[in-house]
Amino acid sequence: MKKTALFFAVMAVFTLIAAPAFAVRYVTIGTGGVTGVYYPTGGAISKLVNKKRKEYNLRMTVESTGGSVFNVNALMNGDLEMGVVQSDLQYQAMKGIGAWEGEPQEKLRAVFSIHPEIVTIIAAVDSQINGIADFKGKTINIGAPGTGQRVNALDLITAAGLDPKTDLQTEGIKPAESAKMLQDGRIDAFFYTVGHPNGSIKEAVAGARKVAFVPVEQALIDQLVAEQPYYAAANIPVAPYAGVANSEPVPSFGVKATICSSADVPDDVIYTITKEVFENLEVLKTLHPALAGLTKENMLQGLSAPLHPGALKYYREAGLIK
Ligand code: GLU
């Protein structure tokens, strides 16, 4: 009897004093390959939030992942609380098309969008790829399963009237390895749907094998933009890439990187993170050059899944949404 009473007394004291101190909420944000823009951006957001981890009892950690498609699936099965997702894939997951054919991801929630991403094709000059039709018979890394670029590459190749199974040799290599593969002569070109500037492409253009961005034909851009609500025409900047063979911005098309979550993640967690990001936007913009163009207004564009209620609460408070 005495022992039982003592046990409960100890438990009660523990619950009152010690437990609240342990009640730290962990939020993992899924990003992409370490040489992309998602990973350092996830790191920058985490850094902002973790500055106040004592005040918020919130601890953010950043995880390198396979990319957009992987992140949607990990959000939906509860392995991640937040994730970076291309706007086109957010749309497809929400609608139940593409990789989620017939299975709309009902719990997917949008939080905010970040930088624009451009479908970028980086080719060896000696491979003589001057347009999509020249992919015929070539070895092209379309991106590993789980990446956004793989979806965009297949879209573009199919729109150009090529059969990705028979007209070319496709590879599914991670972005971090693409630059080396290109320099080693094991592939002719690789796709990367990514914000500019970024490390992988800098690495690819810095080698001995001369490299160029492949322009997407205007008719193909027009066709894709007309067919899909989430594609927009965009030009790849060449200035950040010393050594690239192009001298003018290269026409292509693009999407936006967005931050997503799940309806299962508590409102106050998403509210706190959203508020911290928006109130420190000037700091965030300096943490990666691809984030320099962010504004509070453009961070609410490109979202197709329902807004997470925690984010919506902040946008209403801040007067960004009525
Ligand atoms: N857009 C790519 C993807 O969804 C990732 C780009 C990056 O890591 O910056 O897989």
Side-chain angles (χ1 to χ4, degrees):
M1 192 63 197
K2 250 189 179 170
K3 263 189 187 159
T4 317
L6 185 66
F7 173 75
F8 281 114
V10 169
M11 283 306 287
V13 169
F14 179 85
T15 311
L16 284 172
I17 298 169
F22 289 119
V24 178
R25 275 99 39 96
Y26 288 90
V27 174
T28 301
I29 180 164
T31 58
V34 289
T35 55
V37 178
Y38 287 6
Y39 185 69
T41 299
I45 293 171
S46 305
K47 196 173 151 189
L48 281 182
V49 173
N50 288 339
K51 268 191 190 159
K52 298 200 183 152
R53 63 176 175 266
K54 293 232 170 70
E55 185 183 325
Y56 295 141
N57 255 338
L58 201 70
R59 170 107 201 152
M60 263 188 102
T61 52
V62 53
E63 199 174 292
S64 168
T65 72
S68 286
V69 176
F70 177 95
N71 292 342
V72 169
N73 294 331
L75 282 171
M76 295 301 88
N77 64 29
D79 287 343
L80 292 173
E81 286 74 39
M82 295 183 97
V84 194
V85 177
Q86 286 180 203
S87 52
D88 51 332
L89 299 165
Q90 182 188 139
Y91 180 92
Q92 292 179 13
M94 191 262 313
K95 290 266 185 199
I97 53 177
W100 302 275
E101 186 63 53
E103 291 172 11
Q105 304 298 298
E106 315 273 0
K107 286 191 172 176
L108 189 66
R109 293 293 175 271
V111 183
F112 52 83
S113 71
I114 38 178
H115 58 282
E117 297 189 274
I118 308 179
V119 178
T120 308
I121 307 157
I122 304 101
V125 170
D126 59 49
S127 293
Q128 295 184 310
I129 301 174
N130 300 311
I132 311 308
D134 297 332
F135 282 3
K136 246 192 157 142
K138 300 279 163 43
T139 304
I140 316 279
N141 176 26
I142 59 169
T147 64
Q149 50 271 14
R150 190 178 177 92
V151 177
N152 304 134
L154 291 171
D155 249 12
L156 179 61
I157 292 168
T158 315
L162 296 177
D163 183 339
K165 290 207 177 75
T166 54
D167 286 328
L168 56 147
Q169 170 80 36
T170 57
E171 297 287 348
I173 304 155
K174 283 186 186 171
E177 285 150 31
S178 296
K180 196 172 182 307
M181 297 275 290
L182 186 67
Q183 282 300 327
D184 289 351
R186 289 154 74 194
I187 52 175
D188 294 301
F190 69 93
F191 273 85
Y192 206 4
T193 303
V194 74
H196 293 278
N198 79 88
S200 274
I201 300 178
K202 283 192 174 168
E203 191 190 330
V205 300
R209 196 178 186 197
K210 196 91 180 130
V211 163
F213 296 122
V214 178
V216 179
E217 291 84 342
Q218 193 57 48
L220 276 175
I221 298 173
D222 292 345
Q223 182 188 333
L224 286 165
V225 170
E227 279 172 4
Q228 310 296 359
Y230 39 73
Y231 284 145
N235 288 320
I236 302 160
V238 295
Y241 302 108
V244 77
N246 317 75
S247 51
E248 299 279 315
V250 179
S252 183
F253 61 104
V255 293
K256 276 193 96 174
T258 73
I259 304 287
C260 290
S261 185
S262 153
D264 290 341
V265 177
D267 294 359
D268 67 316
V269 168
I270 299 300
Y271 170 81
T272 302
I273 294 170
T274 306
K275 185 169 184 237
E276 215 41 51
V277 165
F278 275 70
E279 290 187 348
N280 294 288
L281 190 55
E282 291 312 309
V283 178
L284 183 68
K285 282 162 65 173
T286 65
L287 298 181
H288 193 287
L291 304 179
L294 298 190
T295 66
K296 288 183 179 176
E297 290 72 27
N298 69 26
M299 287 170 78
L300 293 180
Q301 291 162 4
L303 307 174
S304 45
L307 279 176
H308 193 287
L312 185 59
K313 183 182 168 206
Y314 174 72
Y315 299 142
R316 287 210 168 112
E317 252 176 44
L320 292 165
I321 287 183
K322 287 216 181 76

